[in-house]
Amino acid sequence: MGGSYLIQPVVAFYSFGLFMTIPLLQQYVYARLWEQLSSAPYSSSQSAQCVNSSSNLTFTIMEVQKQASVFILYAELSFLVPSMFSCPLLVSCSDSLGRKAAIVPPLLGNLLFSVCCFLISCFSLDLHFLLGASFVAGLFGGPSALLGGCFAYVADRCREEARAGPGPGAGGSVGGAMQRPGGSPETEVRQGPSRRRTLSMASVDLIWGLIAGLAPACTGVLIYAIGFRWPFLIVFLLYLLTLAYVVLVLGDSLASVIPLPSPSSSSSSSSSSSSSSSSSSCSSLRGCLGLSRQKLLGQLQSVYMMFGTGSRRRNTALGLTLAVFALFKMCRDGGMSIIILYQLNQPLCWSELLIGCSSLLGMIVHLGSYAGVSFFSRCLGDANVVLLGLLSLAGGLLMAAFAHTTLLMLLVRLPLILSDMPSAVLRSMMSNLVPGSEQGAVFACVVFLEMLSACVALVVFNSTYAATVTWFSGFSFLLASLLTVIPALLIGVLKGLPQNREEDRYHLTAEEVDVGTGVVEATITGAV
């Protein structure tokens, strides 16, 4: 049918399954390695033995920590390396095949991965099968491709609402579309479509973040109650439910935003645009997977053309914003990737229930970040909001590096309360810099850099943790905190770019005209 345009249920159900899997898999690997190295079964009472451990047990714990860190690194790289290539392709394809082309494949990949994890836990198969399952899941794009498609979907809907907002009476006047009586064009543009888009993307990040706190808490309770096996099956059912919603219910936003191709276009594209939404999702997936070599090169060229058709200042601003986003993700994801191993290690020695409670407190971070974006976007520029988020991230990671008691580790979430703000704001800044026809291209760049930064972060921080766990287990947090200085400096450079009022600051991107209503959509491209 394809009658609903709510993308939030997709983000909610998918993220619940994903964030159940991450701590579940890490603790399962830790438990299996413990059983192999100690020749003793792993149980929830392991935390008490960790606190009151002898020298021999301490050596075993450190060895399990090292091997678990290295194995998780291999598993993540097995997933990230293929997804670095599949993610940009899927998100870029969504510009012509519909946003479902970037949403459906990750769901299929996670379905296969959850089935493999369930079988491995049921039959105690070799852990190296997880590496193969991770590689196969990476070929389908993973969470970055799905998020890229969802953010592009949100951008499409915001553009459609902005286009329909002034109404037929606005005529073709650009000033009528941008300015209210008594207000300047600058104020209206800043507080209008740009801010709505920022808040819409922040709401997706909020849902993602709230589930990121709730799902691991449920995982801890489930592991304590029923072990490792059945939670993997629950994750499979969540992904199946999400896939059914996308294919059968969710409508594609692109058909109502991007103008339909002319009759001289290829017959394949015209037939695709005239089909129903539910059937177009399946045909889009088949089309994306069956693209010819020439078509693939064309999709990759769209990313290059995004920079080739822009002004020098716009390209500089876009490049700097992409670099800031990649470095921010590397610091945040790299620092937080080893937090579960850190909590399982001495002197904390947390159980799965405490790990779940800590993740539940992480909801405060995402609520605080959303409230921060809503408040600070009214009185500060986007660049200053990003700087506040980087400062919050640096403070929280620095505190985590020296958190050696349960209370202090739980309080780490307080300085991190604004640390998610840069994610939504940077995405909105990049979306504002390009026209609607290039949203998929810019988010393809975003997901590629996100995967690349994740690869670098995993190699750097997991290797650092394995090398320093015996003498200072918090060194990885300290390193991540220091590295946040680099994106902060780049934001300073971005703020210092010269303003070209005639071409860049209030640039109307191609004046995307709706032929039926004659409404001109104005999109600011220099709101930094």
Side-chain angles (χ1 to χ4, degrees):
M1 292 178 291
S4 174
Y5 289 96
L6 288 176
I7 198 65
Q8 287 80 2
V10 178
V11 178
F13 286 114
Y14 178 83
S15 60
F16 204 100
L18 178 68
F19 290 112
M20 278 188 67
T21 303
I22 292 173
L24 178 63
L25 195 60
Q26 290 189 9
Q27 293 180 72
Y28 177 72
V29 169
Y30 189 90
R32 286 287 301 271
L33 290 175
W34 175 271
E35 293 173 355
Q36 292 177 13
L37 294 175
S38 66
S39 301
Y42 182 87
S43 65
S44 58
S45 61
Q46 210 67 41
S47 59
Q49 300 180 20
C50 174
V51 175
N52 305 310
S53 60
S54 61
S55 58
N56 291 335
L57 193 56
T58 300
F59 175 79
T60 302
I61 292 172
M62 293 301 174
E63 191 64 26
V64 171
Q65 286 275 321
K66 291 179 182 178
Q67 292 198 22
S69 177
V70 172
F71 185 87
I72 291 170
L73 169 63
Y74 290 158
E76 293 287 351
L77 288 179
S78 299
F79 171 80
L80 289 173
V81 170
S83 63
M84 283 177 61
F85 301 96
S86 59
C87 274
L89 177 62
L90 289 172
V91 181
S92 181
C93 283
S94 70
D95 274 341
S96 56
L97 299 177
R99 302 307 178 195
K100 291 186 182 182
I103 297 175
V104 173
L107 289 170
L108 295 176
N110 283 77
L111 276 171
L112 294 174
F113 183 75
S114 58
V115 169
C116 291
C117 290
F118 177 71
L119 294 176
I120 291 171
S121 62
C122 279
F123 301 104
S124 298
L125 301 177
D126 193 283
L127 284 177
H128 289 87
F129 283 108
L130 286 174
L131 303 182
S134 299
F135 183 84
V136 173
L139 294 175
F140 288 84
S144 293
L146 184 134
L147 272 182
C150 290
F151 281 117
Y153 191 101
V154 169
D156 294 339
R157 298 298 299 167
C158 288
R159 285 180 181 274
E160 184 181 9
E161 291 172 3
R163 177 178 300 180
S173 170
V174 176
M178 294 177 61
Q179 186 176 5
R180 292 194 186 108
S184 66
E186 175 180 357
T187 303
E188 178 61 22
V189 171
R190 180 177 293 274
Q191 299 297 333
S194 176
R195 185 171 180 271
R196 284 200 300 271
R197 185 178 306 174
T198 300
L199 292 179
S200 297
M201 293 188 178
S203 69
V204 174
D205 266 336
L206 174 65
I207 295 172
W208 188 266
L210 291 178
I211 301 300
L214 181 62
C218 297
T219 301
V221 175
L222 289 173
I223 293 175
Y224 183 81
I226 57 178
F228 292 101
R229 181 183 308 172
W230 299 111
F232 285 119
L233 185 60
I234 295 174
V235 170
F236 170 81
L237 296 176
L238 283 172
Y239 289 141
L240 191 62
L241 177 63
T242 311
L243 182 62
Y245 175 83
V246 171
V247 173
L248 301 177
V249 179
L250 186 68
D252 204 317
S253 65
L254 200 59
S256 56
V257 178
I258 303 299
L260 292 176
S262 62
S264 61
S265 304
S266 63
S267 59
S268 61
S269 61
S270 63
S271 61
S272 174
S273 61
S274 62
S275 61
S276 64
S277 179
S278 60
S279 62
S280 68
S281 65
C282 299
S283 62
S284 294
L285 177 59
R286 291 195 300 269
C288 190
L289 296 177
L291 286 172
S292 63
R293 183 173 180 270
Q294 184 178 2
K295 183 66 175 177
L296 294 178
L297 293 177
Q299 292 297 334
L300 295 177
Q301 277 184 334
S302 66
V303 177
Y304 171 77
M305 291 302 296
M306 179 181 64
F307 289 94
T309 57
S311 65
R312 179 178 298 178
R313 183 193 174 277
R314 193 209 75 164
N315 291 343
T316 303
L318 183 58
L320 285 173
T321 310
L322 286 168
V324 171
F325 182 83
L327 290 168
F328 162 73
K329 282 292 184 178
M330 186 185 72
C331 296
R332 187 186 184 283
D333 296 345
M336 302 304 290
S337 64
I338 47 94
I339 194 168
I340 291 180
L341 292 177
Y342 183 79
Q343 291 167 347
L344 289 169
N345 192 22
Q346 295 175 324
L348 294 175
C349 299
W350 280 11
S351 65
E352 58 270 17
L353 291 178
L354 268 177
I355 292 174
C357 290
S358 176
S359 300
L360 189 61
L361 289 176
M363 296 172 64
I364 299 174
V365 175
H366 304 287
L367 285 171
S369 295
Y370 181 76
V373 170
S374 302
F375 175 76
F376 290 119
S377 63
R378 296 176 181 272
C379 53
L380 296 176
D382 289 340
N384 293 325
V385 177
V386 174
L387 284 175
L388 279 177
L390 290 172
L391 180 63
S392 174
L393 176 63
L397 292 172
L398 185 63
M399 183 175 176
F402 301 98
H404 299 306
T405 64
T406 295
L407 178 61
L408 197 59
M409 193 65 197
L410 291 174
L411 292 177
V412 163
R413 306 293 179 177
L414 291 181
L416 287 172
I417 197 165
L418 300 177
S419 61
D420 274 353
M421 289 197 306
S423 181
V425 175
L426 288 170
R427 283 190 176 100
S428 178
M429 289 169 65
M430 289 182 281
S431 178
N432 289 335
L433 286 168
V434 299
S437 59
E438 295 177 351
Q439 292 296 313
V442 72
F443 282 111
C445 291
V446 169
V447 297
F448 176 78
L449 287 177
E450 193 170 8
M451 304 307 293
L452 181 61
S453 62
C455 283
V456 174
L458 285 168
V459 172
V460 171
F461 291 99
N462 282 59
S463 301
T464 301
Y465 182 77
T468 60
V469 66
T470 55
W471 56 275
F472 183 26
S473 57
F475 183 80
S476 294
F477 296 120
L478 183 61
L479 177 63
S481 177
L482 294 175
L483 288 177
T484 56
V485 175
I486 301 176
L489 292 176
L490 293 180
I491 284 291
V493 175
L494 185 62
K495 291 180 66 178
L497 287 178
Q499 299 289 336
N500 187 335
R501 294 180 180 272
E502 294 183 359
E503 179 183 0
D504 290 315
R505 191 171 182 184
Y506 305 118
H507 178 63
L508 299 180
T509 57
E511 293 189 349
E512 296 173 345
V513 180
D514 188 322
V515 178
T517 61
V519 177
V520 179
E521 178 189 357
T523 306
I524 187 171
T525 65
V528 298

